[in-house]
Each structure stands twice: as C-alpha cells, then as structure tokens.
Amino acid sequence: MQKEEFMREAIRLSIENVESGNGGPFGAVIVKDGKIIARGVNNVTSTNDPTAHAEVVAIRNACKEVGSFQLDGCEIYTSCEPCPMCLGAIYWARPDKMYFANTKKDAAAINFDDQFIYEELELPYSKRKLPTEQLLREEALLGFKKWSESTKKIEY
C-alpha cells in the first residue's frame, strides 16, 4: 500500500464514524512494515471519555499489537491535524513519521477549535481560565526522588 491509501483509510474511518453516530469526524491508522496494525476513531461521546480521540485510540491499539509503549518503526496517518493532547500522545509514542489530511483551521471551521488550549498553555497559572494552584510540591518530590534512584524503572 502507498501513503495515499493509508490516508484514505483514515479518512474513510472518519466518515464512517460520523455516519454511524459514534463520534466526531476523525480517524487514524498506524502502519508498520507497510501494513495497518491499528485503527482508531473518535469515541468521545459514545464512551464518555474525553481522551478517546482517534489518534489516542489508534495508539492504544497499536501499542497492544506491538507489545510496547513505543511505536518505533511505525507511521501514523490521521484524518486531521492532531489536537494538543493527541500531538503530545503521538510524540510520547515516538512513531517515525506522522501524516495528516485536514488542518486545525479546517477543524475550527466546524467548531473543533483547539486554539484556546495553545493560548492557555502560554499563560501563567493565575491567568488561565481553569483555576490552577500548586500544592504540596515538597511532599510530591519524594516520588521523583524514588524514581531517580529506582533500579526497577523502565526509562521512557
């Protein structure tokens, strides 16, 4: 299969998801060695899970398939430029390459606008729309200290 065929599958999934009423118009596939190993569609409303975006669902499925928390040697094809959460998940999963079809401006035009999140991240905590307050940092640092010293950890 070619890149365009993989992207067409992600697009097909996005359209099918809308037609089925299961969620938003987003689909993703993950490819390894020229074969689709995982698919994902937006399941936010059907599962009451705000993290069930197509890319995250596909990443979860692909990681199960390859038995790893990293997607080395994989590519992700997504029907739309990823939101901040999905982009973060993609970076953490470490695929070799990402392809997208619709842009974030295309998504904003149909009321899937993530610009406010990008803007919020740049603000000091006291200026954010979500009230944010730091608590018990000194106590929490113990977990980080234990991680740093652990001989059982698997680095990622």
Side-chain angles (χ1 to χ4, degrees), residues 58-78:
I59 288 167
R60 290 172 181 161
N61 292 337
C63 287
K64 284 179 192 166
E65 180 67 26
V66 299
S68 175
F69 54 84
Q70 290 186 225
L71 296 176
D72 300 320
C74 295
E75 298 173 338
I76 185 166
Y77 293 77
T78 179

Side-chain angles (χ1 to χ4, degrees), residues 103-115:
T103 67
K104 60 185 176 183
K105 286 185 179 185
D106 296 328
I110 60 165
N111 296 318
F112 287 96
D113 191 353
D114 301 316
Q115 187 58 38

Side-chain angles (χ1 to χ4, degrees), residues 85-97:
M85 176 186 68
C86 291
L87 187 59
I90 290 165
Y91 271 94
W92 283 120
R94 296 180 177 92
D96 292 355
K97 191 161 185 178

Side-chain angles (χ1 to χ4, degrees):
M1 289 183 99
Q2 299 295 317
K3 291 187 285 191
E4 291 80 7
E5 292 177 71
F6 296 132
M7 184 58 76
R8 284 188 185 102
E9 177 62 5
I11 293 167
R12 185 193 70 74
L13 289 169
S14 75
I15 294 166
E16 181 180 87
N17 204 47
V18 173
E19 291 173 342
S20 72
N22 286 330
F26 305 98
V29 298
I30 297 179
V31 174
K32 185 174 178 87
D33 299 325
K35 294 184 181 124
I36 295 173
I37 62 164
R39 290 171 171 80
V41 294
N42 179 286
N43 291 323
V44 170
T45 57
S46 60
T47 63
N48 294 322
D49 179 353
T51 68
H53 290 200
E55 297 91 337
V56 172
V57 171
I59 288 167
R60 290 172 181 161
N61 292 337
C63 287
K64 284 179 192 166
E65 180 67 26
V66 299
S68 175
F69 54 84
Q70 290 186 225
L71 296 176
D72 300 320
C74 295
E75 298 173 338
I76 185 166
Y77 293 77
T78 179
S79 66
C80 185
E81 186 175 1
C83 75
M85 176 186 68
C86 291
L87 187 59
I90 290 165
Y91 271 94
W92 283 120
R94 296 180 177 92
D96 292 355
K97 191 161 185 178
M98 174 181 72
Y99 300 90
F100 68 91
N102 292 319
T103 67
K104 60 185 176 183
K105 286 185 179 185
D106 296 328
I110 60 165
N111 296 318
F112 287 96
D113 191 353
D114 301 316
Q115 187 58 38
F116 78 97
I117 297 173
Y118 292 107
E119 292 168 5
E120 286 281 301
L121 291 172
E122 297 300 318
L123 295 174
Y125 301 131
S126 63
K127 304 270 189 208
R128 293 183 182 176
K129 288 183 176 95
L130 176 66
T132 303
E133 181 180 345
Q134 185 177 21
L135 293 173
L136 303 177
R137 177 176 179 261
E138 292 303 318
E139 290 181 33
L141 283 172
L142 179 59
F144 282 13
K145 181 178 186 292
K146 289 188 173 288
W147 171 261
S148 295
E149 298 167 352
S150 176
T151 58
K152 300 176 187 175
K153 67 184 171 193
I154 297 172
E155 303 248 2
Y156 60 98

